[in-house]
Amino acid sequence: MYLEPEHTKSRITDFEFKELVVLPREIDLNEWLASNTTTFFHHINLQYSTISEFCTGETCQTMAVCNTQYYWYDERGKKVKCTAPQYVDFVMSSVQKLVTDEDMFPTKYGREFPSSFEALVKKICKYLFHVLGHIYWAHFKETLALELHGHLNTLYIHFILFTREFSLLDPKETAIMDDLTEVLCCSPGGGGDGDGASGGASGAQNHVKER
């Protein structure tokens, strides 16, 4: 449903996001990554909250996007099978803890970013991508009924173009949504150039992959 032209053309703005994601002159890269990552976290969390009452342990028994089922890995690296709402809660709780940690996301003058900061941002973006993918795959109908699909599309475009600009997501990770990315980011108003989208999600939906 989310690939139907009448829905993919819905945006809340036609701004060229390709221009918006570029690192401004004289702005520190880590500061730019921190600011945008925190903003995306809040926006994706808000977008999910609009459909959270429909995402339950009964309706979404696994954290699924297309033909892929995601597992959570706890602090000890143990693989945890959980429902979609549990997975999203794990994501949002852990990211909230990170972005409010002065040692990880410093906000005070003179504080240095940790050497592992870029890897941390990549990890956060991976989890946020999973949440966006689940909203599209499992709850686009509800999003459409709430007339919030324009907000979702706009958020997705901005997020994907930002992660592409700074190589924050592995193309193999995002291939599952390449069909949507191709339509949204390469159409008028999307601001993309088409790189990295090859329709990988449409070719392998006969079996379930676990990650």
Side-chain angles (χ1 to χ4, degrees):
M1 183 184 292
Y2 57 75
L3 291 174
E4 294 179 8
E6 63 180 304
H7 303 322
T8 58
K9 68 182 180 182
S10 182
R11 324 280 167 82
I12 59 173
T13 178
D14 287 327
F15 189 83
E16 288 290 338
F17 283 102
K18 188 69 174 177
E19 300 175 13
L20 190 62
V21 301
V22 175
L23 178 67
R25 293 178 60 185
E26 300 181 2
I27 296 294
D28 177 72
L29 174 60
N30 285 337
E31 291 281 2
W32 187 242
L33 293 179
S35 174
N36 281 274
T37 300
T38 303
T39 299
F40 283 126
F41 159 63
H42 289 304
H43 286 180
I44 293 172
N45 192 21
L46 181 61
Q47 187 78 44
Y48 177 78
S49 72
T50 65
I51 54 84
S52 60
E53 66 180 293
F54 307 107
C55 187
T56 68
E58 290 72 39
T59 61
C60 302
Q61 297 182 13
T62 61
M63 181 60 180
V65 179
C66 298
N67 61 327
T68 297
Q69 179 177 322
Y70 296 110
Y71 290 83
W72 183 255
Y73 290 84
D74 64 19
E75 295 179 351
R76 295 172 295 177
K78 183 179 179 181
K79 185 177 181 180
V80 180
K81 183 177 182 179
C82 51
T83 65
Q86 288 175 325
Y87 185 95
V88 175
D89 184 59
F90 286 147
V91 168
M92 298 306 174
S93 297
S94 63
V95 175
Q96 175 71 33
K97 184 177 180 180
L98 288 171
V99 300
T100 55
D101 185 341
E102 273 290 322
D103 292 329
M104 299 298 178
F105 276 69
T107 59
K108 298 178 181 177
Y109 180 76
R111 293 292 298 271
E112 296 288 336
F113 285 90
S115 58
S116 60
F117 184 69
E118 185 175 334
L120 182 64
V121 169
K122 288 181 178 180
K123 183 177 181 180
I124 292 173
C125 287
K126 180 181 72 171
Y127 288 140
L128 294 180
F129 175 77
H130 293 171
V131 177
L132 278 176
H134 183 73
I135 296 173
Y136 272 108
W137 183 249
H139 302 291
F140 190 77
K141 182 179 179 180
E142 292 90 349
T143 301
L144 192 62
L146 292 168
E147 298 184 353
L148 292 173
H149 53 299
H151 291 76
L152 179 60
N153 287 343
T154 304
L155 176 57
Y156 185 86
I157 293 168
H158 191 185
F159 178 74
I160 289 297
L161 292 180
F162 182 79
T163 58
R164 280 186 181 180
E165 179 71 16
F166 300 101
S167 301
L168 299 174
L169 284 173
D170 187 334
K172 293 179 181 178
E173 187 73 45
T174 59
I176 196 168
M177 297 294 286
D178 272 355
D179 48 3
L180 179 67
T181 302
E182 179 73 25
V183 173
L184 290 185
C185 296
C186 302
S187 58
D193 54 14
D195 292 343
S198 59
S202 61
Q205 299 202 22
N206 295 325
H207 63 284
V208 175
K209 294 184 290 185
E210 296 183 353
R211 303 188 63 171

